[in-house]
């Protein structure tokens, strides 16, 4: 049974990683899109391309955590005890990313759009960094 759960966990991590490229890459392109006028079209394309996948990515992540927690509780405890800091910072980044992406569109003022756009873009760069730091710590045997 553990092998079946491990395969499901691996497939869920792969799905998150594949769809995350669209999700996190959009934050980088948003950051480099340019000013208000030059960046208008690229930002519209980012919103249009990312809208179908950005919620699903968080669902995959929650699914991975639940499968890991219920299927391998000792592994879950070990990983989260050893890698609590990068995982906590990644969680904060996920929340800020979602808030920045969701709130930048309905805001009318340019200053507000820039603020939420910057939050979205910067947390899109930092979140994968912290997730990678946690994976690196696990792969190096620190967890």
């Amino acid at each position: 049974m553990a092998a079946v759960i491990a395969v499901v966990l691996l497939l869920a991590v792969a799905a998150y990683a594949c769809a995350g490229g669209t999700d996190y890459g959009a934050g980088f392109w948003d950051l480099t899109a340019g000013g208000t006028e030059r960046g208008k079209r690229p930002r519209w394309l980012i919103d249009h391309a990312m809208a179908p996948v950005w919620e699903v990515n968080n669902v995959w992540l929650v699914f991975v955590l639940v499968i890991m927690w219920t299927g391998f509780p000792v592994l879950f405890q070990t990983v989260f005890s050893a890698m609590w800091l990068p995982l906590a910072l990644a969680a904060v980044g996920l929340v800020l990313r979602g808030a920045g992406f969701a709130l930048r569109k309905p805001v009318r003022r340019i200053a507000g759009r820039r603020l939420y756009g910057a939050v979205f873009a910067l947390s899109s760069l930092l979140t994968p960094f912290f997730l990678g730091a946690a994976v690196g710590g696990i792969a190096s045997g620190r967890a």
Side-chain angles (χ1 to χ4, degrees):
M1 187 64 172
V4 173
I5 295 171
V7 169
V8 170
L9 187 61
L10 178 65
L11 291 174
V13 168
Y16 178 74
C18 289
T22 303
D23 208 354
Y24 292 118
F28 174 77
W29 290 115
D30 184 85
L31 186 64
T32 59
T36 306
E37 286 305 313
R38 191 179 80 156
K40 190 175 190 176
R41 173 94 172 128
R43 286 188 180 92
W44 179 85
L45 289 170
I46 290 165
D47 288 347
H48 185 70
M50 196 173 130
V53 297
W54 81 287
E55 277 297 326
V56 174
N57 277 345
N58 294 331
V59 172
W60 279 119
L61 187 60
V62 169
F63 181 73
V64 165
L65 292 175
V66 169
I67 293 296
M68 188 177 169
W69 177 37
T70 57
F72 306 102
V74 175
L75 174 66
F76 184 85
Q77 177 187 7
T78 304
V79 168
F80 276 79
S81 295
M83 296 292 136
W84 69 270
L85 183 59
L87 290 171
L89 292 171
V92 169
L94 285 168
V95 171
L96 290 176
R97 250 180 82 258
F101 181 71
L103 296 175
R104 73 181 181 156
K105 196 170 187 176
V107 172
R108 299 276 182 217
R109 294 184 173 195
I110 294 295
R113 284 183 179 226
R114 285 184 179 160
L115 173 66
Y116 289 122
V119 168
F120 166 65
L122 291 174
S123 52
S124 289
L125 292 174
L126 293 176
T127 301
F129 172 80
F130 290 122
L131 288 172
V135 169
I138 295 165
S140 69
R142 293 198 170 107

